[in-house]
Amino acid sequence: TQPQKCHYGLYNQGATCYLSSVLQVLFMTTEIHDRLDPEFQTDLQLRNVFEDLKKNTCGTESITKSLEIQNVFQQCDAAECLELILRKIGQRASEVFQGELRYTTKCSKGHSINEETKTFSTLPLSLKDTHDTTYSLERSFERTFESKSFTGDNKVYCNECNKKTEATRRWEMGKSPQILTLLLKRFDFDYNTMSHVKSNCCVDVPRELQRENKTYKLYGMVNHMGSLKGGHYTATILSNEDKTWYDCNDAHVNKVEEQPFAKSRTYK
């Protein structure tokens, strides 16, 4: 007798690999499963997909309809697909991904010049101006919260000082999300060629990320191969069942041959 299959895939309707990849990662995000409210159509369809994935390879027609995806032969961006899903599902489920960034600017005397709070569900990390052969996701994440100084010609006007003064700007994680989603911005606009280009630099991904008193452990990655004009999405997920990493390529799901983090604390 053959061993029972541990994980199943999702059929591609044409060019819906982006949707399949995002759904596989959400399937491993068990924190939202009990928060999905069947009173909401998208919540219901997500629950149905998750139940089907426990038993067999299945389709995504119903969730596609619920998300109002009109053309299944048009490839879309996986990050935008996740944002779409989070907008469509109920707040109890989507709030698992929501955090707050607090942006403050203070003059050299400590007076508050500007304060702003922004909610986010995805935190973008720029690959621009990366001169290292290998890009460190951990270093880029930390750079997001580095302070920036305004001096010389870049001084900022302070109302309390009644003049332009040296100032410091910093981002702080006002509210840490339960699930942290990072977006590597591989696509950028090249003003020399007046076209979008993709950075194919190697990325060093840590097993864990620490921010203040919270530790985030990696359990899912959505990968893109190709260019802006066309390509293919897959997902790499850590199974909740056997704690093994799997590659999810639409309907095909296989164990990753060289298991991530087996020999190193980072994964390229």
Side-chain angles (χ1 to χ4, degrees):
T1 60
Q2 288 190 341
Q4 186 177 359
K5 192 173 175 66
C6 187
H7 282 281
Y8 296 94
L10 294 160
Y11 293 117
N12 192 326
Q13 297 182 60
T16 55
C17 53
Y18 65 94
L19 174 62
S20 299
S21 301
V22 170
L23 289 175
Q24 288 285 8
V25 174
L26 291 178
F27 181 46
M28 289 298 108
T29 312
T30 54
E31 290 83 353
I32 70 168
H33 290 199
D34 291 337
R35 290 171 169 260
L36 293 170
D37 186 348
E39 294 293 320
F40 295 97
Q41 185 61 24
T42 305
D43 290 49
L44 175 61
Q45 297 307 330
L46 261 186
R47 286 181 66 169
N48 290 342
V49 168
F50 295 160
E51 287 302 314
D52 289 344
L53 274 174
K54 293 175 183 177
K55 298 173 286 189
N56 49 251
T57 303
C58 57
T60 56
E61 288 81 5
S62 294
I63 186 75
T64 301
K65 185 177 180 182
S66 176
L67 294 172
E68 299 180 74
I69 296 172
Q70 304 294 331
N71 185 358
V72 295
F73 296 98
Q74 177 183 349
Q75 187 172 107
C76 298
D77 183 77
E80 291 177 0
C81 177
L82 174 62
E83 292 286 351
L84 174 63
I85 292 173
L86 296 184
R87 287 197 305 270
K88 290 276 191 179
I89 60 178
Q91 187 178 354
R92 275 200 75 237
S94 65
E95 68 183 5
V96 168
F97 298 87
Q98 289 176 357
E100 284 184 357
L101 284 176
R102 189 177 297 121
Y103 160 89
T104 58
T105 305
K106 293 184 178 181
C107 78
S108 55
K109 292 185 177 180
H111 300 143
S112 179
I113 296 173
N114 186 34
E115 290 187 14
E116 187 179 347
T117 300
K118 291 184 178 180
T119 60
F120 72 93
S121 53
T122 301
L123 196 61
L125 300 179
S126 176
L127 290 176
K128 199 174 180 180
D129 302 325
T130 301
H131 304 295
D132 300 335
T133 307
T134 300
Y135 171 89
S136 169
L137 185 145
E138 190 169 15
R139 282 201 299 270
S140 179
F141 179 67
E142 290 302 323
R143 276 199 298 269
T144 303
F145 304 97
E146 285 181 355
S147 59
K148 180 181 178 180
S149 297
F150 297 92
T151 58
D153 293 338
N154 294 320
K155 288 182 180 179
V156 179
Y157 188 83
C158 173
N159 286 327
E160 293 192 51
C161 297
N162 201 27
K163 64 177 182 178
K164 281 194 171 184
T165 178
E166 293 184 351
T168 303
R169 182 183 70 189
R170 60 168 51 90
W171 284 103
E172 295 174 330
M173 191 86 82
K175 174 193 170 190
S176 300
Q178 189 174 347
I179 301 295
L180 177 65
T181 307
L182 301 177
L183 170 63
L184 292 180
K185 297 179 69 176
R186 286 193 175 272
F187 293 103
D188 198 19
F189 192 77
D190 186 342
Y191 286 95
N192 293 319
T193 61
M194 297 304 289
S195 62
H196 284 89
V197 292
K198 180 183 178 182
S199 170
N200 289 307
C201 72
C202 185
V203 176
D204 225 354
V205 181
R207 177 69 179 91
E208 295 183 355
L209 269 181
Q210 187 83 30
R211 186 63 200 165
E212 296 172 348
N213 297 322
K214 195 165 182 67
T215 301
Y216 293 99
K217 293 185 178 181
L218 183 72
Y219 68 92
M221 297 174 277
V222 173
N223 319 296
H224 180 267
M225 293 148 283
S227 66
L228 187 66
K229 294 180 180 178
H232 184 61
Y233 282 101
T234 65
T236 305
I237 58 169
L238 178 64
S239 168
N240 294 319
E241 299 291 327
D242 59 2
K243 306 305 177 186
T244 301
W245 288 91
Y246 287 84
D247 275 329
C248 303
N249 185 357
D250 288 325
H252 306 284
V253 178
N254 298 293
K255 285 185 180 181
V256 178
E257 287 187 15
E258 291 188 21
Q259 286 288 297
F261 312 107
K263 298 177 181 179
S264 169
R265 63 176 290 273
T266 59
Y267 175 64
K268 289 184 174 65

